[in-house]
Coordinates of all heavy atoms in Angstrom, one line a residue:
M220 N 226.0 139.2 132.0 CA 226.4 138.7 130.7 C 225.3 139.0 129.7 O 224.1 138.8 130.0 CB 226.9 137.2 130.8 CG 228.1 137.0 131.5 SD 228.5 135.3 131.7 CE 228.4 135.2 133.5
S221 N 225.6 139.2 128.5 CA 224.6 139.5 127.5 C 224.1 138.1 126.9 O 224.7 137.1 126.9 CB 225.2 140.3 126.4 OG 226.3 139.5 125.7
A222 N 222.9 138.2 126.3 CA 222.2 137.1 125.6 C 222.9 136.9 124.3 O 223.6 137.7 123.7 CB 220.8 137.3 125.5
S223 N 222.8 135.7 123.8 CA 223.3 135.3 122.5 C 222.4 135.9 121.4 O 221.3 136.3 121.6 CB 223.2 133.8 122.4 OG 223.6 133.3 121.0
L224 N 223.0 136.0 120.2 CA 222.3 136.5 119.1 C 221.1 135.6 118.7 O 220.1 135.9 118.1 CB 223.1 136.7 117.8 CG 224.2 137.8 118.0 CD1 225.1 137.6 116.8 CD2 223.6 139.2 117.9
A225 N 221.3 134.3 119.1 CA 220.3 133.3 118.9 C 219.8 132.7 120.2 O 220.6 132.1 120.9 CB 220.9 132.1 118.0
P226 N 218.6 133.0 120.5 CA 218.1 132.6 121.8 C 218.3 131.1 122.2 O 218.5 130.8 123.3 CB 216.6 132.9 121.8 CG 216.5 133.9 120.8 CD 217.5 133.7 119.8
E227 N 218.2 130.2 121.1 CA 218.5 128.8 121.4 C 220.0 128.5 121.9 O 220.2 127.5 122.3 CB 218.1 128.0 120.2 CG 219.0 128.3 119.0 CD 218.3 129.3 118.0 OE1 217.7 130.3 118.5 OE2 218.4 129.1 116.8
C228 N 220.8 129.5 121.8 CA 222.2 129.3 122.2 C 222.5 129.9 123.5 O 223.6 129.9 123.9 CB 223.1 129.8 121.1 SG 222.9 129.1 119.5
N229 N 221.5 130.6 124.2 CA 221.7 131.3 125.4 C 222.4 130.5 126.5 O 223.3 130.9 127.2 CB 220.5 131.9 126.0 CG 220.1 133.2 125.2 OD1 220.9 133.8 124.5 ND2 218.8 133.5 125.4
E230 N 221.9 129.2 126.7 CA 222.5 128.4 127.8 C 223.9 128.1 127.6 O 224.6 128.3 128.6 CB 221.6 127.1 127.9 CG 221.9 126.3 129.0 CD 222.9 125.2 128.8 OE1 223.0 124.7 127.6 OE2 223.7 124.8 129.7
V231 N 224.3 127.7 126.4 CA 225.7 127.4 126.2 C 226.6 128.6 126.2 O 227.7 128.6 126.7 CB 225.9 126.5 124.9 CG1 225.6 127.3 123.7 CG2 227.3 125.9 124.9
K232 N 226.1 129.7 125.8 CA 226.8 131.0 125.9 C 227.0 131.4 127.3 O 228.1 131.8 127.7 CB 226.0 132.1 125.1 CG 226.9 133.5 125.1 CD 226.1 134.6 124.4 CE 227.0 135.8 124.4 NZ 227.3 136.4 125.7
E233 N 226.0 131.3 128.1 CA 226.1 131.6 129.6 C 227.2 130.7 130.2 O 228.1 131.2 131.0 CB 224.8 131.4 130.3 CG 223.9 132.5 130.1 CD 222.6 132.4 131.0 OE1 222.7 131.8 132.1 OE2 221.6 132.9 130.6
R234 N 227.2 129.4 129.9 CA 228.2 128.5 130.5 C 229.6 128.9 129.9 O 230.6 128.9 130.7 CB 228.0 127.0 130.1 CG 226.8 126.4 130.8 CD 226.7 124.9 130.6 NE 226.2 124.7 129.2 CZ 226.9 123.7 128.4 NH1 227.8 123.0 128.9 NH2 226.4 123.5 127.2
Y235 N 229.7 129.2 128.7 CA 231.0 129.7 128.1 C 231.5 131.0 128.8 O 232.6 131.1 129.2 CB 231.1 129.8 126.6 CG 232.3 130.5 126.1 CD1 233.5 129.8 126.2 CD2 232.3 131.8 125.7 CE1 234.7 130.5 125.7 CE2 233.4 132.5 125.2 CZ 234.6 131.8 125.3 OH 235.7 132.4 124.9
D236 N 230.6 132.0 128.8 CA 231.0 133.2 129.5 C 231.4 133.1 130.8 O 232.4 133.7 131.3 CB 229.8 134.3 129.4 CG 229.5 134.8 128.0 OD1 230.3 134.6 127.1 OD2 228.4 135.4 127.9
S237 N 230.8 132.3 131.6 CA 231.1 132.1 133.0 C 232.4 131.4 133.1 O 233.3 131.8 133.9 CB 230.1 131.3 133.7 OG 230.3 131.0 135.0
C238 N 232.6 130.4 132.3 CA 233.9 129.7 132.2 C 235.1 130.6 132.0 O 236.1 130.7 132.7 CB 233.8 128.6 131.3 SG 235.4 127.5 131.2
F239 N 234.9 131.3 130.8 CA 235.9 132.3 130.4 C 236.3 133.3 131.5 O 237.5 133.6 131.6 CB 235.5 132.9 129.0 CG 236.6 133.8 128.4 CD1 237.7 133.2 127.8 CD2 236.5 135.2 128.7 CE1 238.7 134.1 127.4 CE2 237.6 136.0 128.3 CZ 238.6 135.5 127.5
L240 N 235.3 134.0 131.9 CA 235.6 135.0 132.9 C 236.3 134.5 134.1 O 237.2 135.2 134.6 CB 234.2 135.8 133.3 CG 233.6 136.6 132.2 CD1 232.2 137.1 132.7 CD2 234.5 137.7 131.8
T241 N 235.9 133.4 134.5 CA 236.6 132.7 135.7 C 238.1 132.4 135.4 O 239.0 132.7 136.1 CB 235.8 131.5 136.2 OG1 234.5 131.8 136.6 CG2 236.5 130.8 137.4
W242 N 238.2 131.7 134.2 CA 239.5 131.3 133.8 C 240.5 132.5 133.5 O 241.6 132.6 134.0 CB 239.4 130.5 132.5 CG 240.8 130.3 131.8 CD1 241.8 129.4 132.1 CD2 241.4 131.0 130.7 NE1 242.8 129.5 131.3 CE2 242.6 130.6 130.4 CE3 240.8 132.1 130.0 CZ2 243.4 131.1 129.4 CZ3 241.6 132.7 128.9 CH2 242.9 132.2 128.7
Y243 N 239.9 133.5 132.9 CA 240.7 134.7 132.6 C 241.1 135.5 133.8 O 242.3 135.8 133.9 CB 239.9 135.6 131.6 CG 240.7 136.8 131.1 CD1 241.6 136.7 130.1 CD2 240.5 138.1 131.6 CE1 242.4 137.7 129.6 CE2 241.2 139.2 131.1 CZ 242.1 139.0 130.2 OH 242.9 140.1 129.7
S244 N 240.2 135.7 134.7 CA 240.6 136.5 135.9 C 241.3 135.7 137.0 O 242.2 136.3 137.6 CB 239.3 137.1 136.5 OG 238.4 136.1 137.0
E245 N 241.0 134.5 137.2 CA 241.6 133.8 138.2 C 242.9 133.0 137.8 O 243.7 132.6 138.7 CB 240.6 132.8 138.9 CG 239.4 133.6 139.6 CD 238.3 132.7 140.1 OE1 238.6 131.4 140.2 OE2 237.2 133.2 140.5
K246 N 243.0 132.7 136.6 CA 244.2 132.0 136.1 C 245.1 132.7 135.2 O 246.2 132.9 135.4 CB 243.7 130.6 135.5 CG 243.1 129.7 136.6 CD 242.7 128.4 136.0 CE 242.0 127.5 137.1 NZ 241.7 126.3 136.5
F247 N 244.5 133.1 134.1 CA 245.4 133.7 133.0 C 246.1 135.0 133.4 O 247.3 135.1 133.2 CB 244.5 134.0 131.7 CG 245.3 134.5 130.6 CD1 246.1 133.7 129.8 CD2 245.2 135.9 130.3 CE1 246.8 134.3 128.7 CE2 245.9 136.4 129.3 CZ 246.8 135.6 128.5
L248 N 245.3 135.9 134.0 CA 245.9 137.2 134.4 C 246.9 137.0 135.5 O 247.8 137.8 135.7 CB 244.8 138.1 134.9 CG 244.0 138.7 133.8 CD1 242.8 139.6 134.3 CD2 244.7 139.4 132.8
R249 N 246.8 136.0 136.3 CA 247.8 135.7 137.3 C 248.9 134.8 136.9 O 249.8 134.4 137.7 CB 247.0 135.0 138.5 CG 246.0 135.8 139.1 CD 245.3 135.2 140.2 NE 244.2 136.2 140.6 CZ 243.3 135.9 141.6 NH1 243.4 134.7 142.3 NH2 242.5 136.8 142.0
G250 N 248.9 134.4 135.6 CA 250.0 133.7 135.1 C 250.0 132.2 135.3 O 251.0 131.5 135.3
N251 N 248.8 131.7 135.8 CA 248.7 130.3 136.2 C 248.2 129.4 135.1 O 248.0 128.2 135.3 CB 247.8 130.2 137.4 CG 248.4 130.9 138.6 OD1 249.6 131.0 138.8 ND2 247.5 131.4 139.5
S252 N 248.0 130.0 133.9 CA 247.4 129.1 132.8 C 247.8 129.7 131.6 O 247.8 130.9 131.3 CB 245.9 129.0 132.9 OG 245.4 128.3 131.8
K253 N 248.2 128.8 130.6 CA 248.5 129.4 129.2 C 247.6 128.8 128.2 O 247.6 129.2 127.0 CB 250.0 129.0 128.9 CG 251.0 129.7 129.7 CD 252.4 129.3 129.4 CE 253.3 130.0 130.4 NZ 254.7 129.7 130.1
T254 N 246.8 127.9 128.5 CA 245.8 127.4 127.6 C 244.4 127.8 128.0 O 244.1 127.9 129.2 CB 245.8 125.8 127.6 OG1 245.5 125.3 128.9 CG2 247.2 125.3 127.1
D255 N 243.5 127.9 127.0 CA 242.1 128.3 127.3 C 241.3 127.0 127.7 O 241.1 126.2 126.8 CB 241.5 128.9 126.0 CG 240.1 129.4 126.2 OD1 239.5 129.2 127.3 OD2 239.6 130.0 125.3
E256 N 241.0 126.9 129.0 CA 240.3 125.8 129.5 C 238.9 125.7 129.1 O 238.1 124.7 129.3 CB 240.4 125.8 131.0 CG 241.8 125.7 131.5 CD 242.0 125.9 133.0 OE1 240.9 126.1 133.7 OE2 243.1 126.0 133.5
C257 N 238.3 126.8 128.4 CA 237.0 126.8 128.0 C 236.8 126.7 126.5 O 235.8 126.8 126.0 CB 236.4 128.2 128.4 SG 236.7 128.6 130.2
E258 N 237.9 126.2 125.8 CA 237.8 126.0 124.4 C 236.6 125.1 123.9 O 236.0 125.4 123.0 CB 239.1 125.5 123.9 CG 239.2 125.4 122.4 CD 240.5 125.0 121.8 OE1 241.5 124.8 122.6 OE2 240.6 124.9 120.7
S259 N 236.4 124.0 124.6 CA 235.3 123.1 124.2 C 233.9 123.7 124.3 O 233.1 123.6 123.3 CB 235.4 121.8 125.0 OG 235.1 122.0 126.4
L260 N 233.7 124.6 125.3 CA 232.5 125.3 125.4 C 232.4 126.4 124.3 O 231.3 126.6 123.8 CB 232.3 126.0 126.8 CG 232.0 125.1 128.0 CD1 232.1 125.9 129.3 CD2 230.7 124.5 127.8
F261 N 233.4 127.0 124.0 CA 233.4 128.0 122.9 C 233.1 127.3 121.6 O 232.3 127.8 120.9 CB 234.8 128.7 122.8 CG 234.9 129.6 121.6 CD1 234.2 130.8 121.6 CD2 235.5 129.3 120.4 CE1 234.2 131.7 120.5 CE2 235.5 130.1 119.3 CZ 234.9 131.3 119.3
K262 N 233.7 126.1 121.3 CA 233.4 125.4 120.1 C 231.9 125.1 120.0 O 231.2 125.1 119.0 CB 234.3 124.2 119.9 CG 235.7 124.6 119.6 CD 236.6 123.4 119.5 CE 238.0 123.8 119.1 NZ 238.9 122.6 119.0
E263 N 231.4 124.6 121.2 CA 230.0 124.3 121.2 C 229.1 125.5 121.0 O 228.1 125.4 120.3 CB 229.6 123.7 122.7 CG 228.3 123.1 122.8 CD 228.1 122.6 124.2 OE1 229.0 122.3 125.0 OE2 226.9 122.4 124.5
Y264 N 229.4 126.6 121.6 CA 228.7 127.9 121.3 C 228.8 128.3 119.9 O 227.8 128.6 119.2 CB 229.1 128.9 122.3 CG 228.4 130.3 121.9 CD1 227.0 130.4 122.0 CD2 229.2 131.4 121.6 CE1 226.4 131.7 121.6 CE2 228.6 132.6 121.4 CZ 227.2 132.7 121.3 OH 226.6 133.9 121.0
R265 N 230.0 128.3 119.3 CA 230.2 128.6 117.9 C 229.4 127.8 117.0 O 228.8 128.3 116.0 CB 231.7 128.6 117.6 CG 231.9 129.1 116.2 CD 233.5 129.0 115.9 NE 233.9 127.7 116.0 CZ 235.2 127.4 116.0 NH1 236.2 128.3 115.9 NH2 235.6 126.2 116.1
S266 N 229.3 126.5 117.3 CA 228.6 125.5 116.4 C 227.1 125.9 116.5 O 226.4 125.9 115.4 CB 228.8 124.1 116.9 OG 228.0 123.2 116.2
C267 N 226.5 126.1 117.7 CA 225.1 126.5 117.9 C 224.8 127.7 117.1 O 223.8 127.8 116.4 CB 224.8 126.7 119.2 SG 223.1 127.1 119.7
L268 N 225.7 128.7 117.3 CA 225.5 130.1 116.7 C 225.5 130.0 115.1 O 224.8 130.6 114.4 CB 226.5 131.1 117.2 CG 226.2 132.5 116.8 CD1 224.9 133.0 117.3 CD2 227.3 133.4 117.4
T269 N 226.5 129.2 114.6 CA 226.7 129.0 113.2 C 225.5 128.4 112.6 O 224.9 128.9 111.5 CB 227.9 128.2 112.9 OG1 229.1 128.9 113.4 CG2 228.1 128.0 111.4
K270 N 224.9 127.4 113.2 CA 223.7 126.7 112.8 C 222.5 127.6 112.7 O 221.8 127.8 111.8 CB 223.4 125.5 113.7 CG 222.2 124.7 113.3 CD 222.0 123.6 114.2 CE 220.6 122.9 113.9 NZ 220.0 122.2 115.0
A271 N 222.4 128.4 113.8 CA 221.3 129.4 113.9 C 221.3 130.4 112.9 O 220.3 130.8 112.2 CB 221.2 130.0 115.3
L272 N 222.6 131.0 112.6 CA 222.7 132.0 111.6 C 222.4 131.5 110.2 O 221.9 132.2 109.3 CB 224.1 132.7 111.7 CG 224.4 133.4 113.0 CD1 225.8 134.0 113.0 CD2 223.4 134.6 113.2
K273 N 222.9 130.3 110.0 CA 222.7 129.6 108.7 C 221.1 129.5 108.4 O 220.6 129.7 107.4 CB 223.4 128.3 108.5 CG 223.3 127.7 107.2 CD 224.2 126.5 107.2 CE 224.3 126.0 105.7 NZ 225.3 124.9 105.6
E274 N 220.4 129.0 109.5 CA 218.9 128.8 109.3 C 218.2 130.0 109.0 O 217.2 130.0 108.4 CB 218.4 128.1 110.6 CG 218.8 126.7 110.8 CD 218.4 126.1 112.2 OE1 217.9 127.0 113.1 OE2 218.7 125.0 112.4
R275 N 218.7 131.2 109.5 CA 218.1 132.5 109.3 C 218.7 133.1 108.0 O 218.2 134.3 107.7 CB 218.3 133.4 110.5 CG 217.7 132.9 111.8 CD 218.1 133.7 113.0 NE 217.4 133.4 114.2 CZ 217.6 132.4 115.0 NH1 218.6 131.6 114.7 NH2 216.9 132.2 116.0
G276 N 219.6 132.6 107.3 CA 220.1 133.2 106.1 C 221.2 134.3 106.3 O 221.6 134.9 105.4
V277 N 221.5 134.4 107.6 CA 222.5 135.5 107.9 C 223.9 135.1 107.4 O 224.7 136.0 107.0 CB 222.5 135.7 109.4 CG1 223.6 136.8 109.8 CG2 221.2 136.2 109.9
D278 N 224.3 133.8 107.3 CA 225.5 133.3 106.8 C 225.8 133.9 105.4 O 226.9 134.3 105.1 CB 225.7 131.9 106.9 CG 224.7 131.1 106.1 OD1 223.6 131.6 105.9 OD2 225.1 130.1 105.5
E279 N 224.8 133.9 104.6 CA 225.0 134.4 103.2 C 225.2 135.9 103.2 O 226.0 136.3 102.4 CB 223.7 134.1 102.4 CG 223.6 132.6 102.0 CD 224.7 132.0 101.3 OE1 225.3 132.7 100.3 OE2 225.3 130.9 101.6
M280 N 224.5 136.6 104.0 CA 224.7 138.1 104.2 C 226.2 138.4 104.5 O 226.9 139.3 104.1 CB 223.8 138.7 105.2 CG 222.3 138.6 104.7 SD 221.1 139.0 105.9 CE 221.7 140.5 106.8
I281 N 226.7 137.5 105.5 CA 228.1 137.8 105.9 C 229.1 137.4 104.8 O 230.0 138.2 104.6 CB 228.4 136.8 107.1 CG1 227.6 137.3 108.4 CG2 229.9 136.8 107.5 CD1 227.6 136.3 109.5
K282 N 228.8 136.4 104.0 CA 229.7 136.0 102.9 C 229.6 137.2 101.9 O 230.7 137.6 101.3 CB 229.2 134.7 102.3 CG 229.5 133.5 103.0 CD 228.9 132.3 102.1 CE 229.0 131.1 103.0 NZ 228.4 129.9 102.3
E283 N 228.5 137.8 101.6 CA 228.4 138.9 100.6 C 229.1 140.1 101.2 O 229.9 140.7 100.4 CB 227.0 139.2 100.4 CG 226.2 138.2 99.6 CD 224.7 138.5 99.4 OE1 224.3 139.8 99.6 OE2 223.9 137.6 99.3
A284 N 229.0 140.4 102.5 CA 229.7 141.5 103.0 C 231.2 141.3 102.9 O 232.0 142.3 102.6 CB 229.3 141.8 104.5
R285 N 231.6 140.1 103.2 CA 233.1 139.9 103.2 C 233.6 140.0 101.7 O 234.7 140.6 101.4 CB 233.4 138.5 103.7 CG 233.3 138.4 105.2 CD 233.6 137.1 105.8 NE 233.6 137.1 107.2 CZ 233.4 136.0 107.9 NH1 233.0 134.8 107.3 NH2 233.3 136.1 109.2
Q286 N 232.9 139.5 100.8 CA 233.2 139.6 99.4 C 233.2 141.1 98.9 O 234.2 141.5 98.2 CB 232.2 138.8 98.5 CG 232.6 138.8 97.0 CD 234.0 138.3 96.8 OE1 234.5 137.2 97.4 NE2 234.8 138.8 95.9
N287 N 232.2 141.8 99.3 CA 232.2 143.2 98.9 C 233.3 144.0 99.6 O 233.9 144.9 99.0 CB 230.9 143.9 99.4 CG 229.7 143.4 98.5 OD1 229.8 142.9 97.5 ND2 228.5 143.6 99.1
S288 N 233.7 143.6 100.8 CA 234.8 144.3 101.4 C 236.1 144.0 100.7 O 237.0 144.9 100.5 CB 234.9 143.8 102.9 OG 236.0 144.3 103.5
K289 N 236.3 142.8 100.2 CA 237.5 142.4 99.5 C 237.6 143.2 98.2 O 238.7 143.7 97.8 CB 237.5 140.8 99.2 CG 237.9 140.0 100.4 CD 237.9 138.5 99.9 CE 238.0 137.6 101.1 NZ 237.9 136.2 100.8
E290 N 236.5 143.3 97.6 CA 236.4 144.0 96.2 C 236.7 145.5 96.5 O 237.5 146.1 95.7 CB 235.1 143.8 95.6 CG 234.9 142.4 95.1 CD 233.5 142.1 94.6 OE1 232.6 143.0 94.8 OE2 233.2 141.0 94.3
A291 N 236.2 146.0 97.5 CA 236.4 147.5 97.8 C 237.9 147.7 98.2 O 238.5 148.6 97.7 CB 235.5 148.0 98.9
D292 N 238.4 146.8 99.0 CA 239.8 147.0 99.4 C 240.7 146.9 98.1 O 241.7 147.7 98.0 CB 240.2 145.8 100.4 CG 239.7 146.0 101.8 OD1 239.2 147.1 102.0 OD2 239.8 145.1 102.5
A293 N 240.4 146.0 97.2 CA 241.3 145.7 96.0 C 241.1 147.0 95.2 O 242.2 147.5 94.7 CB 240.8 144.6 95.2
E294 N 240.0 147.6 95.0 CA 239.8 148.8 94.3 C 240.6 150.0 94.9 O 241.2 150.8 94.2 CB 238.3 149.1 94.1 CG 238.0 150.4 93.3 CD 238.5 150.2 91.8 OE1 238.4 149.0 91.3 OE2 238.9 151.2 91.2
N295 N 240.5 150.1 96.2 CA 241.2 151.2 96.9 C 242.8 151.0 96.8 O 243.4 152.0 96.6 CB 240.8 151.2 98.4 CG 239.4 151.9 98.5 OD1 239.0 152.6 97.8 ND2 238.8 151.4 99.6
L296 N 243.2 149.8 96.8 CA 244.6 149.6 96.6 C 245.1 150.0 95.1 O 246.2 150.5 95.0 CB 245.0 148.1 96.9 CG 245.0 147.7 98.3 CD1 245.3 146.2 98.5 CD2 246.1 148.5 99.0
K297 N 244.3 149.7 94.1 CA 244.6 150.1 92.8 C 244.7 151.6 92.7 O 245.6 152.1 92.0 CB 243.4 149.7 91.8 CG 243.5 148.2 91.7 CD 242.3 147.8 90.6 CE 242.1 146.4 90.5 NZ 241.0 146.0 89.7
R298 N 243.8 152.4 93.4 CA 243.8 153.8 93.2 C 245.0 154.5 94.0 O 245.4 155.6 93.7 CB 242.5 154.4 93.8 CG 241.3 154.2 92.9 CD 240.2 155.0 93.3 NE 239.4 154.0 94.0 CZ 238.3 154.2 94.8 NH1 238.0 155.5 95.0 NH2 237.6 153.4 95.4
S299 N 245.5 153.8 95.0 CA 246.5 154.4 95.8 C 247.9 154.3 95.0 O 248.1 153.3 94.3 CB 246.7 153.8 97.2 OG 247.2 152.5 97.0
S300 N 248.7 155.3 95.1 CA 250.0 155.3 94.5 C 251.0 154.6 95.4 O 251.2 155.1 96.6 CB 250.4 156.7 94.1 OG 251.7 156.7 93.7
L301 N 251.7 153.5 95.0 CA 252.6 152.8 95.9 C 253.9 153.6 96.1 O 254.6 153.5 96.9 CB 252.9 151.4 95.3 CG 251.7 150.5 95.2 CD1 252.1 149.2 94.5 CD2 251.1 150.3 96.5
G302 N 254.1 154.6 95.2 CA 255.3 155.4 95.2 C 255.2 156.5 96.3 O 256.2 157.1 96.7
D303 N 254.0 156.9 96.7 CA 253.8 158.0 97.6 C 253.5 157.4 99.0 O 252.8 156.5 99.1 CB 252.6 158.8 97.2 CG 252.9 159.6 96.0 OD1 254.1 159.8 95.5 OD2 251.9 160.1 95.4
I304 N 254.2 157.9 99.9 CA 254.0 157.5 101.3 C 253.7 158.8 102.2 O 254.4 159.7 102.2 CB 255.3 156.9 101.9 CG1 255.7 155.6 101.1 CG2 255.0 156.5 103.4 CD1 257.0 155.0 101.5
L305 N 252.5 158.7 102.8 CA 252.1 159.8 103.7 C 252.5 159.6 105.1 O 252.2 158.6 105.7 CB 250.6 159.9 103.6 CG 250.0 161.2 104.3 CD1 250.5 162.4 103.5 CD2 248.5 161.1 104.2
V306 N 253.4 160.5 105.6 CA 254.0 160.3 106.9 C 253.7 161.6 107.7 O 254.3 162.7 107.3 CB 255.5 160.0 106.9 CG1 256.0 159.9 108.3 CG2 255.8 158.7 106.2
K307 N 252.9 161.6 108.7 CA 252.6 162.8 109.6 C 252.2 164.0 108.7 O 252.7 165.0 108.9 CB 253.7 163.1 110.4 CG 254.0 162.0 111.5 CD 255.1 162.4 112.4 CE 255.4 161.3 113.4 NZ 256.4 161.6 114.4
G308 N 251.4 163.7 107.7 CA 250.8 164.9 107.0 C 251.8 165.3 105.9 O 251.4 166.2 105.1
L309 N 252.9 164.7 105.7 CA 253.9 165.1 104.6 C 254.0 164.0 103.6 O 254.0 162.9 103.9 CB 255.3 165.3 105.2 CG 255.4 166.4 106.3 CD1 256.8 166.3 106.9 CD2 255.1 167.7 105.8
S310 N 253.9 164.4 102.4 CA 254.0 163.4 101.3 C 255.4 163.3 100.9 O 256.1 164.2 100.6 CB 253.1 163.9 100.1 OG 253.1 162.8 99.0
I311 N 255.9 162.0 101.0 CA 257.3 161.8 100.5 C 257.4 160.8 99.4 O 256.7 159.8 99.4 CB 258.0 161.1 101.8 CG1 258.0 162.0 103.0 CG2 259.4 160.8 101.4 CD1 258.4 161.3 104.3
K312 N 258.1 161.2 98.3 CA 258.2 160.4 97.1 C 259.2 159.3 97.4 O 260.3 159.6 97.9 CB 258.6 161.2 95.9 CG 257.6 162.2 95.5 CD 256.3 161.5 94.8 CE 255.4 162.6 94.3 NZ 254.2 162.1 93.8
A313 N 258.9 158.1 97.0 CA 259.8 156.9 97.2 C 260.9 157.0 96.1 O 260.7 157.5 95.0 CB 259.1 155.6 97.2

């Protein structure tokens, strides 16, 4: 299993990874479970990681990247013609 992005979260990530791999292979894939029995460990790991990323300022970089992505997507949608549909290399007018 790989290490966490934040070394201080390695222990909880290892516990979550181990739990998930066991649950997934021994229960879920065999149809013996429909709920994620490791959800509480995942929440604990996510909380640790979120705190660590915030302390390092990475959370702001993520917010900026998401905002830039939204703006780029909106700009690309404006440029595309909604009347034209490209299907298998053929342009078809609506």
Side-chain angles (χ1 to χ4, degrees):
M220 290 175 245
S221 62
S223 174
L224 293 171
E227 62 267 38
C228 301
N229 280 343
E230 187 267 331
V231 70
K232 182 182 184 301
E233 280 185 33
R234 288 188 294 131
Y235 169 70
D236 285 349
S237 178
C238 179
F239 181 81
L240 290 173
T241 300
W242 168 79
Y243 186 74
S244 63
E245 295 178 9
K246 294 183 179 181
F247 182 77
L248 289 178
R249 296 177 184 181
N251 296 330
S252 178
K253 293 182 181 179
T254 60
D255 183 354
E256 298 170 4
C257 308
E258 184 176 0
S259 63
L260 285 172
F261 175 74
K262 287 180 180 179
E263 186 179 344
Y264 174 57
R265 182 179 61 192
S266 174
C267 181
L268 191 58
T269 299
K270 180 181 175 203
L272 294 176
K273 187 173 186 170
E274 288 171 356
R275 291 169 174 85
V277 176
D278 63 325
E279 289 301 317
M280 292 169 45
I281 293 170
K282 285 178 190 175
E283 287 176 26
R285 286 180 176 153
Q286 184 60 38
N287 290 342
S288 177
K289 286 180 187 177
E290 291 168 2
D292 287 348
E294 185 61 34
N295 287 332
L296 285 173
K297 286 179 190 175
R298 283 188 266 168
S299 70
S300 171
L301 297 178
D303 291 345
I304 301 172
L305 189 60
V306 179
K307 295 185 181 180
L309 300 174
S310 183
I311 302 170
K312 295 286 184 187

